[in-house]
Amino acid sequence: MSTVSLNFSNQIPTIKLYQVRSVNCSADYSDITCLGYTAYDTTQKVIIISFRGSHGPHQNQQLADGMASGGLEYYFGNTGKVFKVVYDSFILLWNGGMHQDLRQLKYKYPDFELWVNGHSLGGMLSWVASSYLVISGLYKPENIKVVAFGAPRLGDYDFANWYTSTFPYSFHIIHRFDLIPRVPKIDPHTNTTVLFHPRTQVWYNNYMKVDDEYQICEEADGGYCSDTVTDGLTMTDHGYYFNVNMPAWGRDGCPKNISDYGQL
């Protein structure tokens, strides 16, 4: 179990944290961990699984190295390929306790909808997790809502196409000049396979403040929405979503007053 503290009551009082799971997901570094949590809301009748993004330079490098060395593999039958390093990270978390946590919640609340989300690496893990749950028969896709934030491309065209056609509620939210969702474009293991995002993309070309405009694009790649911007890409926008510095806000326990964490 992780000792991470998550204070949902500051933002959504009806959500209750169930379990936080943190596992070492590197054979090379003891400080590389993958983290996810389960929660539930009896008012909205939902179960939630959420995944943290990468943490620190060692994990970023491990992901880049893993993409280059392991490349893409089939994991969900004939549904396309995804990065091995991301799938392996999910399985370590799943076997590290998330499996039993989700099954216990589903047993207690069998009719509740499932919400799956994550930022950056966590976004990729949310796509892998939802795929795994549907392929394994634990959930039907129409009972799952998936929202990823600032996630890199996970798999090939066949996977993106299967995922899009399988999950009726799936959104990928991208903040303005965020660099990370624009990479990688080609599988670094083969340097030939073109990578794609699942649909549907929601692009905020602003600071993502309350009432800011956004664009919805059914085409996740190909010169639409965020793909119309190729210059000025930055890591700064990757850390700020909905005008909140998410790493700093999270480290401080998700305080109710978010004004100190704004980008503008």
Side-chain angles (χ1 to χ4, degrees):
M1 281 287 296
S2 169
T3 58
V4 173
S5 175
L6 298 173
N7 192 347
F8 289 113
S9 62
N10 284 334
Q11 304 298 328
I12 310 176
T14 56
I15 292 181
K16 306 299 181 185
L17 178 67
Y18 188 65
Q19 296 282 15
V20 181
R21 298 290 179 176
S22 180
V23 298
N24 178 270
C25 48
S26 170
D28 301 316
Y29 297 99
S30 61
D31 64 338
I32 293 182
T33 58
C34 294
L35 186 146
Y37 68 80
T38 47
Y40 62 98
D41 187 328
T42 56
T43 300
Q44 300 186 76
K45 295 186 177 181
V46 297
I47 297 169
I48 301 162
I49 56 173
S50 183
F51 300 94
R52 188 195 67 189
S54 60
H55 182 67
H58 285 165
Q59 189 162 29
N60 293 335
Q61 188 61 53
Q62 183 215 22
L63 286 170
D65 292 345
M67 289 177 179
S69 62
L72 305 172
E73 296 285 351
Y74 287 105
Y75 292 105
F76 308 114
N78 191 28
T79 62
K81 298 179 180 180
V82 299
F83 278 118
K84 180 180 186 298
V85 65
V86 180
Y87 181 85
D88 288 348
S89 296
F90 165 72
I91 290 299
L92 286 168
L93 264 176
W94 187 244
N95 292 336
M98 290 195 83
H99 177 204
Q100 68 189 57
D101 299 338
L102 183 58
R103 283 192 176 274
Q104 287 168 358
L105 284 171
K106 184 171 173 55
Y107 179 80
K108 188 173 183 179
Y109 306 111
D111 299 325
F112 279 21
E113 193 173 60
L114 180 67
W115 292 357
V116 189
N117 63 71
H119 170 254
S120 195
L121 166 63
M124 291 194 290
L125 289 170
S126 71
W127 291 327
V128 170
S130 49
S131 301
Y132 185 93
L133 294 173
V134 167
I135 293 296
S136 65
L138 193 58
Y139 277 90
K140 295 180 179 180
E142 58 267 27
N143 296 327
I144 300 177
K145 290 181 177 177
V146 185
V147 180
F149 302 84
R153 293 179 177 90
L154 172 66
D156 61 11
Y157 175 81
D158 288 341
F159 174 76
N161 188 51
W162 170 81
Y163 194 94
T164 297
S165 62
T166 299
F167 292 89
Y169 192 105
S170 174
F171 292 94
H172 183 199
I173 299 174
I174 298 177
H175 179 206
R176 200 173 53 167
F177 304 138
D178 186 350
L179 169 66
I180 296 304
R182 275 85 169 189
V183 297
K185 292 190 174 183
I186 302 291
D187 174 12
H189 182 66
T190 62
N191 287 320
T192 56
T193 304
V194 179
L195 305 176
F196 292 87
H197 281 305
R199 295 184 298 195
T200 297
Q201 184 185 130
V202 181
W203 183 45
Y204 284 81
N205 189 21
N206 45 50
Y207 288 103
M208 299 184 75
K209 294 184 294 182
V210 175
D211 296 328
D212 274 355
E213 294 183 351
Y214 55 86
Q215 297 180 41
I216 297 178
C217 276
E218 290 298 328
E219 293 289 339
D221 294 280
Y224 304 95
C225 281
S226 65
D227 269 8
T228 60
V229 175
T230 56
D231 296 327
L233 302 181
T234 173
M235 286 296 295
T236 300
D237 283 353
H238 187 60
Y240 285 89
Y241 271 73
F242 296 102
N243 199 34
V244 173
N245 184 329
M246 294 192 301
W249 182 63
R251 285 194 298 268
D252 291 346
C254 306
K256 188 173 183 178
N257 183 3
I258 62 174
S259 60
D260 292 338
Y261 301 91
Q263 190 173 10
L264 180 69

